[in-house]
Amino acid sequence: AYGCFGNPEVDMIVGPGNQYVAEAKRLLYGKIGIDLIAGPTEIAIIADKTADKEIIASDLVGQAEHGPNSPAWLFTNDQTLCDYVLKRVPELIADLPEHSKNNAGAAWRDYGEVILCNTNEELCQVSDQYAPEHLEVQAESLNWWMDTLRNYGSLFLGEETTVAYGDKCSGPNHILPTKGAAKYTGGLSVGKFIKTVTFQRMTKESNKEVGAASARISRLEGMEAHARTGDIRLRKYGHQN
């Protein structure tokens, strides 16, 4: 951003990073553009009675491993899955190497949630409210979920895919919104590098309406100099105030 180390100053910085990278980007935002302020990373899983319980528990632990403040959420309408996950996740965490165990254990203890819903529609409502960064769906009728869900950073449909695949291999991108930001933005994409600009052009005849309206609005706002930029054109083009 400042052209240090012999590099030119840049207009935009994008890319993933830990909490220090995220804070640096936040501090620089305004001087330059950034993709988004992201982190800590999140996972939510929507699952029904058809889901593989062991895979669900494993995927929750896999994301909790990121750090002690990484949320892991399960949204389900199956009570037996709730019971299984609440028992099994601590067991899987206990079997991890020390560093991963400490991270995942703290994350699950402080930020883990299991939410039991009644219907698929309620599951969608809860998920859209949380707007998770990574959202796995392991349930019947995958196309219905894809058509109905609205707020997520990236969607992983079916047990055959998982967040780690997106992290490491499959893409399409893993710089994604967190902390509910998926309600109003997606992740990094080509769209972030496209700058939208506008222009306007007006005829002398159109000034009859636009110039007069602009002058009236400006005077109501106490902006007399603004109003006179409309007045001068109305006089020049033969229109009356």
Side-chain angles (χ1 to χ4, degrees), residues 13-152:
I13 291 176
V14 302
N18 60 20
Q19 58 190 338
Y20 301 104
V21 173
E23 177 62 13
K25 288 164 72 174
R26 187 189 69 81
L27 290 169
L28 290 168
Y29 180 59
K31 175 178 173 59
I32 57 162
I34 63 172
D35 44 7
L36 48 87
I37 300 171
T41 189
E42 308 160 348
I43 184 175
I45 302 177
I46 293 174
D48 63 13
K49 63 183 180 180
T50 67
D52 185 312
K53 296 179 177 61
E54 187 71 3
I55 288 179
I56 298 295
S58 179
D59 284 3
L60 291 168
V61 173
Q63 197 68 5
E65 179 184 36
H66 267 285
N69 54 356
S70 292
W73 305 312
L74 171 63
F75 312 138
T76 183
N77 52 16
D78 181 29
Q79 179 69 60
T80 62
L81 178 57
C82 290
D83 298 338
Y84 184 90
V85 164
L86 290 171
K87 177 179 181 296
R88 185 59 175 149
V89 164
E91 295 173 348
L92 293 173
I93 292 173
D95 192 45
L96 292 171
E98 191 69 20
H99 180 69
S100 295
K101 178 168 61 177
N102 291 338
N103 281 344
W108 183 248
R109 180 191 67 226
D110 296 336
Y111 296 96
E113 295 182 42
V114 177
I115 298 179
L116 181 64
C117 299
N118 291 317
T119 65
N120 289 349
E121 288 76 14
E122 186 182 3
L123 286 168
C124 286
Q125 182 180 10
V126 169
S127 181
D128 281 345
Q129 182 62 36
Y130 275 66
E133 177 190 18
H134 309 102
L135 177 57
E136 294 185 7
V137 177
Q138 300 187 34
E140 293 181 309
S141 304
L142 293 177
N143 287 338
W144 182 87
W145 297 98
M146 185 169 63
D147 291 341
T148 306
L149 290 161
R150 290 291 177 265
N151 299 333
Y152 50 82

Side-chain angles (χ1 to χ4, degrees), residues 70 221 235 241:
S70 292
E221 294 175 341
R235 287 195 297 268
N241 280 25

